[in-house]
């Protein structure tokens, strides 16, 4: 799909012209107004559409009236969602060229328009033996819009990063292995260092390596670096990179394991971001860090009761091998803190508890710096994601106290997202830090708003915008 910015979309030859209508309002199309839409019960409710023929009298073959709901409730996020709906509708009708003529929208919609169109255009069908051609036929090829070309260009790049992350999350674990993530990282055109098992051992990453031991797939620690002269700031983003989470010896029941190829969605987001960072050339230094491995119950697997030593020397008693993400992140956080950056932000499909608390609508955010957390929440709101702050009170650590080591990796059943957060905090030193638990938002079992089921690219839009706004 290609978005073309043109002066007058109504004069373009197209299969469908999309015009908007607010609830109880009129459309920008005389043609649509001329027919009494309301007689058919079409009132411009949000997301409703109404199709009209033009009988060959116009350059566009049909008009699709797109309901935008009440004008006073309308905003850029709704616009993105509505555009996605329209594009999906046009795909169903096998339209190839779609023009948009918006009227009465009082903000610059260029960016969210572009995001909505590209998010709707996404499908993951590379493994369908018949699907590729069939679906390609249904794709919209050209979209015409009156918009700000620079904002469209920027959004195209952000959307591409999302697509990159969604593809990786959707990729089966048999292909998206730790070695594969490392190979992908090396191909992104940013300076990349891959540490293998022996090098991680030398660095003292006893927590990360323990998790990977039960799999025959080699663990890989990935460090990507985007540098500029005189950076305004230096940040590190960490993504949880469990390529498959079986639970380990504390094995998951089948129903919980089914989607665990998505347990590297944090890593996918980091790779997606790093894949476009040069093109967006922000004036800050950005480190992308992933401790990639599988959590499997092989004969060398780590066991409940084992005591691990993380990179910062702290010891951890393994209470549950399924609380593996925080172990890999512990070493990644230590590594990131040693870089001397200003901020560390991690994204992780960390706890089912976060999903229970917030559902698939919001990611949980925690950290040691209120200003950073507030900024990220605000950036998410403007980017089409939702972050919701959860507490990090020290009392959550009570359940993680161990008789034999400095801490356990799990304990209390209640407040699981926050206790995972306080665990991570033990590995954060002298840096502003935010932790984003994307367990609920990274992978959808059914469609939600502009997203189809599967990987969502959670974190990509927000973090990229955050990086660009520094
Ligand atoms: N990867 C899971 C968390 C998860 C659950 C992500 C559902 C996406 C959807 C994580 O490694 C995990 O297993 N967490 C356990 C922790 C528990 C053993 C303390 C959980 O949440 O049950
Ligand atoms: Mn787990
Ligand atoms: Zn996990």
């Amino acid at each position: 799909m290609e978005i073309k910015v043109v002066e007058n979309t109504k004069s373009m030859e197209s299969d469908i012209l999309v015009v908007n209508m607010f609830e109880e309002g009129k459309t920008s199309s005389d043609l649509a107004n001329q027919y009494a839409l309301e007689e058919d019960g079409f009132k411009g409710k949000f997301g409703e559409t109404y199709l009209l023929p033009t009988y060959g009298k116009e350059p566009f073959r049909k008009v699709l009236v797109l309901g935008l709901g009440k004008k006073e409730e309308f905003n850029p996020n709704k616009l993105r969602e509505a555009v996605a709906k329209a594009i999906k509708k046009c795909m169903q009708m096998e339209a190839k060229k779609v023009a948009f003529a918006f009227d009465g929208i009082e903000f610059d919609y260029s960016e969210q328009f572009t995001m909505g169109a590209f998010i709707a255009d996404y499908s993951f069908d590379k493994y369908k033996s018949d699907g590729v051609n069939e679906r390609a036929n249904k794709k919209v090829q050209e979209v015409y819009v009156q918009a700000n070309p620079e904002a469209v260009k920027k959004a195209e790049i952000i959307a591409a990063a999302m697509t990159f992350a969604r593809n990786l999350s959707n990729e089966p674990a048999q292909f998206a292995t730790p070695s594969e993530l490392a190979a992908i990282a090396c191909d992104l055109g940013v300076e990349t260092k891959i540490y293998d098992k022996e090098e991680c051992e030398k660095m003292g990453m006893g927590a990360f390596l323990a998790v990977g031991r039960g799999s025959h797939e080699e663990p890989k620690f990935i460090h990507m670096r985007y540098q500029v002269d005189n950076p305004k700031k230096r940040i590190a983003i960490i993504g949880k990179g469990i390529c498959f989470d079986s639970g380990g010896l504390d094995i998951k029941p089948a129903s919980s394991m089914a989607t665990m190829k998505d347990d590297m969605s944090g890593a996918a987001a980091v790779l997606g971001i790093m894949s476009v960072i040069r093109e967006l050339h922000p004036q800050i230094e950005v480190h992308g860090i992933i401790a990639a491995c599988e959590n499997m119950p092989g004969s060398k697997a780590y066991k409940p009761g084992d005591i691990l030593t993380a990179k910062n020397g702290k010891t951890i008693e393994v209470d549950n091998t399924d609380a593996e993400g925080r172990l890999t992140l512990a070493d990644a956080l230590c590594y990131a803190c040693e870089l001397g950056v200003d901020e560390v932000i991690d994204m992780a499909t960390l706890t089912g508890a976060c999903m229970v608390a917030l559902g698939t609508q919001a990611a949980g955010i925690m950290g040691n710096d209120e200003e950073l957390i507030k900024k990220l929440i605000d950036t998410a709101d403007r980017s089409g994601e939702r972050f919701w702050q959860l507490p990090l009170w020290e009392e959550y650590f009570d359940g993680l106290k161990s008789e034999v080591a400095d801490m356990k990796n799990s304990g209390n059943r209640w407040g699981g997202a926050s206790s995972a957060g306080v665990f991570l905090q033990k590995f954060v030193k002298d840096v502003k830090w935010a932790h984003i638990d994307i367990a609920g938002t990274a992978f959808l079992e059914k469609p939600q708003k502009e997203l189809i089921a599967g990987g969502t690219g959670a974190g990509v839009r927000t973090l990229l915008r955050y990086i660009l706004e520094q």
Side-chain angles (χ1 to χ4, degrees), residues 240 242 245 252 260 263 322 324-325 349-350:
K240 174 174 169 182
I242 299 296
D245 183 10
K252 286 181 184 291
M260 281 302 129
D263 214 16
D322 199 10
E324 84 297 337
T349 46
L350 203 63

Side-chain angles (χ1 to χ4, degrees), residues 227-232 283:
Q227 271 167 317
V228 287
D229 291 336
N230 308 315
K232 284 195 246 163
Q283 287 310 298

